Amino acid sequence: MSHDEYLIEDDAGVKRVVQEARRVAVLGIKTEDHSAQPAYYVPEYLAKAGVDVVPVPVYYPDAKVILGKPVYRKLVDIPGDIDLVDVFRRPGDIDQHVDDIIAKKPKAVWFQSGIRNDDAARKLAAAGIRVVQDRCLMVDHRRYSGR
């Protein structure tokens, strides 16, 4: 595969990423106090749909558990494999997480709706990680998961 093939923009590629995402780390997840925000209700939806959600908040240093799951501060600290990293960060804030994402080596990374960072996407693709940008995982999960 060339690096460009890791930059997923077609529906077939998006469907494959969604269907393979059984364990999802959510980078930038919010706490229950922010339940009206996508960075909480999207992972909540995924958890209710049977996805193993691993919370990785950027803020909320006192949070130890979100969605009933233990919180991790870095992706590399999560035991076991991760299928997908769902990113809720501003585009300019993603660069600081690229090395952590590459070190964890998930199968794919998903930048939520409105989030696009082509430089970070190219670095992740060069590391063999598939990247979806500017799409809502909840919408595409409902469309492609078969649930």
Side-chain angles (χ1 to χ4, degrees):
M1 266 183 143
S2 77
H3 298 323
D4 287 347
E5 292 179 60
Y6 286 95
L7 301 173
I8 308 299
E9 296 184 350
D10 64 305
D11 285 338
V14 169
K15 180 178 181 178
R16 185 171 148 220
V17 169
V18 168
Q19 290 180 338
E20 291 177 0
R22 289 174 179 72
R23 189 163 191 237
V24 177
V26 182
L27 178 62
I29 191 172
K30 304 248 181 184
T31 63
E32 287 84 351
D33 293 341
H34 303 276
S35 61
Q37 294 188 21
Y40 180 80
Y41 69 72
V42 170
E44 180 185 42
Y45 157 81
L46 293 170
K48 288 179 179 176
V51 174
D52 181 10
V53 173
V54 181
V56 185
V58 175
Y59 304 108
Y60 319 108
D62 296 334
K64 304 289 184 246
V65 174
I66 298 175
L67 294 173
K69 299 283 193 147
V71 163
Y72 293 90
R73 296 294 161 184
K74 293 181 87 45
L75 295 165
V76 292
D77 295 336
I78 299 169
D81 292 334
I82 293 292
D83 298 314
L84 179 65
V85 176
D86 187 16
V87 178
F88 286 94
R89 300 288 287 140
R90 289 185 185 98
D93 293 337
I94 293 172
D95 295 330
Q96 65 186 307
H97 300 287
V98 169
D99 290 342
D100 186 37
I101 294 169
I102 290 171
K104 186 60 189 170
K105 194 78 166 135
K107 293 176 189 167
V109 174
W110 191 288
F111 297 164
Q112 279 294 141
S113 295
I115 303 170
R116 183 167 200 95
N117 181 323
D118 291 328
D119 288 339
R122 278 192 289 277
K123 288 175 188 168
L124 295 166
I129 299 168
R130 289 176 286 152
V131 181
V132 175
Q133 297 194 81
D134 192 17
R135 291 184 74 126
C136 179
L137 182 55
M138 184 170 74
V139 170
D140 284 318
H141 189 273
R142 285 178 174 152
R143 181 179 297 147
Y144 297 125
S145 70
R147 292 189 176 108

